[in-house]
Amino acid sequence: VAYTHARYEDYDFAGGSFSGNRPPNVPRIVANAGMSYRFPAATPVEVGASVRHVGDRFNTDANTVKMLAYTVADAYAAVDVRRMRLTFRVRNLTDEKYAIWGDPFYPDQILLGAPRSYEISALLKF
């Protein structure tokens, strides 16, 4: 868990002041947690999951456009066979729609996080 109290201290300009405002794309709270368990067997199987939370953030120096907080969970299962590890992973289990970043110079545009996705990977050891 991380808590940030970022603020502009002295941000004055001809048209006004952003002093005291939070910089763009900086959440107050970010939290991550994960766990995994490896079942002992002749062919070991491992399962795991992780969750991350990112708090509300602003998209402008004026703090007028807010990107809402989001929480995303991922899960995986892996099996070790000889010198190979096969993994099946699901990212964004709940198919959450969320903004991961916004450019303060284009406050009406945001970068969306990836939708639910599936992947299979093979790791070969030699």
Side-chain angles (χ1 to χ4, degrees):
V1 175
Y3 173 79
T4 305
H5 185 71
R7 295 278 183 260
Y8 287 125
E9 184 174 322
D10 198 10
Y11 191 164
D12 298 321
F13 57 98
S17 174
F18 293 144
S19 298
N21 288 3
R22 193 175 347 150
N25 295 298
V26 178
R28 283 194 183 147
I29 298 286
V30 175
N32 297 286
M35 55 78 59
S36 65
Y37 182 77
R38 187 175 179 91
F39 295 94
T43 303
V45 174
E46 182 178 332
V47 294
S50 64
V51 63
R52 78 180 170 278
H53 173 79
V54 176
D56 291 339
R57 294 136 301 137
F58 291 105
N59 191 23
T60 64
D61 288 326
N63 289 178
T64 55
V65 178
K66 183 189 286 189
M67 294 183 292
L68 300 178
Y70 66 88
T71 303
V72 179
D74 304 329
Y76 74 92
V79 61
D80 294 334
V81 180
R82 294 186 190 151
R83 302 186 80 157
M84 182 170 46
R85 180 176 176 97
L86 296 171
T87 305
F88 175 71
R89 187 176 307 273
V90 181
R91 298 189 188 274
N92 192 359
L93 281 166
T94 61
D95 203 20
E96 177 83 10
K97 290 177 180 40
Y98 60 100
I100 58 172
W101 188 79
D103 188 330
F105 297 105
Y106 299 95
D108 60 341
Q109 298 177 20
I110 56 171
L111 178 62
L112 293 176
R116 182 185 303 128
S117 61
Y118 307 92
E119 63 185 59
I120 297 173
S121 65
L123 172 69
L124 302 171
K125 300 175 188 177
F126 55 94

